[in-house]
């Protein structure tokens, strides 16, 4: 695989909107208004969004409480610290979004489970102990997409009992990750159906690479939570594949992805705050990927492989170890030498960093990321 020698500059296009179905606000006469939205729903799971509008004095910290009436459970949340005991849910601000001015608002999202029969909207919200108990209309829900994309997609539609075909909205990470974290993104073009196998599979590849680095170096890297940030792209697959970017078509898809990620998430190249790993479900016949200067950028075959659609998983584990080596500052080996920085990564897990490579990682520009 090629080493990434230069990163492209960010581009500006309006972000694609994510369709939601909005529940009516639960009103509080003088203190607060809470809007609960079901963004998408599929058998056994759904995405919820909660928006708080502060109608009282400025808030310096907030806690929203409600109770589910249909046995729902929160399984993952972003932009809030969410706990649940039985039906009762408590969501508290994270460090950066606790201050809400009068008439200001703040929102967070979550993934949840439900019984597949009834997913009623909560009606009993409170904020810092103040009830917001106005009537809440029954929301509609976004119908999951069941048809395949109009162009050739890297996946076939999942079966009706499989993963959802719509996914969480791109509200960004649960909070700005601490410096020294590896952030991972799956960029989904507009005409590619959401498939949970991709964020799950890419996360598993990253965890295996994390284990391998611990084995080889005695130290490893931190992953963000959630491991994979799903980013809805601004364009269809064909745009990423056919829009020239860089001096050869090998780089078009991944440079187009990288520039969009940089613009949407305020990333840099290189970025001293994080190592960034981007994967996209788009690939032309000439497309490839690479790593370097704190970035890994990979096209559709790597995303497919991580999702379990590309054969032996050891190849994809080894490929990620290889590209992360570039991100940490290692060059390709000059021969097939048994290390993952050569074609020996195809023999994963029977490949090992040399002592010189270990030293270069630990003493390199991102060595402080390892703990």
């Amino acid at each position: 695989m090629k080493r990434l020698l230069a990163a492209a500059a960010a581009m500006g296009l309006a972000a694609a909107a994510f369709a939601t179905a909005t529940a009516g606000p639960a009103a509080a006469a003088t203190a607060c208004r809470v809007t609960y939205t079901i963004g998408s729903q599929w058998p056994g799971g759904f995405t919820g969004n909660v928006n708080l509008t502060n109608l009282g004095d400025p808030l310096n910290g907030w806690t929203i409480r409600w109770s589910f009436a249909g046995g729902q459970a929160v399984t993952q949340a972003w932009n809030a610290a969410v706990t649940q005991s039985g039906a009762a849910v408590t969501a508290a601000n994270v460090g950066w979004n606790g201050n809400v001015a009068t008439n200001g608002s703040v929102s967070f999202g979550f993934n949840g489970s439900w019984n597949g029969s009834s997913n009623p909207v909560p009606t009993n919200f409170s904020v810092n102990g103040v009830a917001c108990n106005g009537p809440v209309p029954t929301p509609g829900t976004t119908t999951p997409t069941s048809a395949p994309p109009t162009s050739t997609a890297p996946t076939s539609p999942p079966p009706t009992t499989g993963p959802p075909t719509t996914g969480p909205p791109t509200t960004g990470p649960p909070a700005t990750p601490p410096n020294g974290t590896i952030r991972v993104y799956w960029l989904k073009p507009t005409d590619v159906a959401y498939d949970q196998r991709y964020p799950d599979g890419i996360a598993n590849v990253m965890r295996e690479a994390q284990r391998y680095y611990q084995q080889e170096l005695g130290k490893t890297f931190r992953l963000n939570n959630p491991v994979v940030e799903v980013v809805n792209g601004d364009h269809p697959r064909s745009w990423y594949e056919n829009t020239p970017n860089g001096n050869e078509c090998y780089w078009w898809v991944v440079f187009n992805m990288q520039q969009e990620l940089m613009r949407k998430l305020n990333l840099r190249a290189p970025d001293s705050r994080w190592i960034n790993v981007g994967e996209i479900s788009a690939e032309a016949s000439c497309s490839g990927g690479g790593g370097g200067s704190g970035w890994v950028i990979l096209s559709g075959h790597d995303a497919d492989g991580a999702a379990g659609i590309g054969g032996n998983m050891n190849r994809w584990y080894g490929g990620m170890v290889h590209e992360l080596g570039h991100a940490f500052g290692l060059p390709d080996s000059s021969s097939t030498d048994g290390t993952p920085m050569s074609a020996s990564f195809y023999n994963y897990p029977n490949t090992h960093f040399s002592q010189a490579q270990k030293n270069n990682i630990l003493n390199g520009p991102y060595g402080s990321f390892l703990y």
Side-chain angles (χ1 to χ4, degrees):
M1 292 191 181
K2 295 191 179 183
R3 184 180 182 189
L4 177 60
L5 299 178
M11 298 169 60
L13 287 173
F18 186 87
T20 60
T22 304
T30 60
C32 57
R33 181 170 64 245
V34 172
T35 303
Y36 179 103
T37 300
I38 297 176
S40 59
Q41 184 171 289
W42 58 91
F46 71 101
T47 294
N49 299 290
V50 178
N51 179 272
L52 161 66
T53 299
N54 177 28
L55 303 177
D57 292 334
L59 294 175
N60 182 19
W62 49 265
T63 300
I64 302 175
R65 291 184 172 88
W66 74 86
S67 292
F68 284 125
Q72 303 100 315
V74 174
T75 58
Q76 180 189 50
W78 50 93
N79 297 338
V82 180
T83 58
Q84 184 169 350
S85 177
V89 180
T90 300
N93 65 277
V94 289
W96 55 270
N97 64 358
N99 294 327
V100 187
T102 301
N103 295 321
S105 63
V106 66
S107 62
F108 63 91
F110 66 90
N111 289 334
S113 62
W114 67 302
N115 59 21
S117 175
S118 176
N119 190 7
V121 172
T123 60
N124 56 347
F125 297 96
S126 69
V127 176
N128 293 352
V130 176
C132 298
N133 22 345
V136 181
T138 301
T141 59
T142 300
T143 303
T145 304
S146 57
T150 54
S151 62
T152 303
T155 64
S156 57
T160 55
T161 57
T165 53
T166 57
T170 51
T171 56
T176 301
N179 288 1
T181 302
I182 290 189
R183 295 180 67 177
V184 187
Y185 320 97
W186 174 46
L187 193 144
K188 185 186 76 61
T190 56
D191 57 351
V192 171
Y194 182 85
D195 188 330
Q196 189 65 41
R197 290 176 293 180
Y198 282 81
D200 287 351
I202 294 169
N204 287 337
V205 168
M206 295 306 302
R207 293 187 185 102
E208 173 60 20
Q210 187 182 47
R211 183 206 65 79
Y212 179 86
Y213 273 70
Q214 178 68 50
Q215 167 194 295
E216 295 291 300
L217 301 172
K219 294 183 176 182
T220 195
F221 48 83
R222 296 174 179 84
L223 291 168
N224 192 16
N225 183 23
V227 174
V228 178
E229 301 171 45
V230 179
V231 180
N232 284 338
D234 291 344
H235 309 282
R237 288 180 66 237
S238 60
W239 184 91
Y240 298 97
E241 295 164 351
N242 299 318
T243 300
N245 195 338
N247 58 4
E248 56 179 308
C249 65
Y250 182 96
W251 295 111
W252 292 359
V253 165
V254 292
F255 276 177
N256 286 329
M257 168 189 66
Q258 184 190 35
Q259 290 171 353
E260 188 168 327
L261 291 173
M262 289 170 66
R263 175 176 56 81
K264 285 176 176 286
L265 300 174
N266 192 30
L267 307 177
R268 307 164 190 160
D271 197 322
S272 61
R273 300 165 297 175
W274 311 296
I275 287 178
N276 296 291
V277 177
E279 302 201 24
I280 182 173
S281 289
E283 181 170 347
S285 59
C286 58
S287 297
S293 300
W295 275 85
V296 173
I297 47 178
L298 300 173
S299 56
H301 66 277
D302 285 274
D304 288 350
I309 303 170
N312 189 330
M313 285 303 301
N314 281 342
R315 183 260 179 266
W316 310 110
Y317 296 147
M320 182 56 70
V321 164
H322 174 95
E323 300 301 355
L324 284 171
H326 286 322
F328 276 105
L330 296 182
D332 281 317
S333 296
S334 58
S335 62
T336 303
D337 59 1
T339 77
M341 301 316 297
S342 71
S344 297
F345 81 78
Y346 287 102
N347 297 327
Y348 187 91
N350 300 314
T351 181
H352 302 281
F353 286 124
S354 69
Q355 188 59 52
Q357 289 170 338
K358 294 177 185 179
N359 292 341
N360 287 340
I361 292 173
L362 293 170
N363 298 321
Y366 294 95
S368 62
F369 282 32
L370 301 169
Y371 69 102

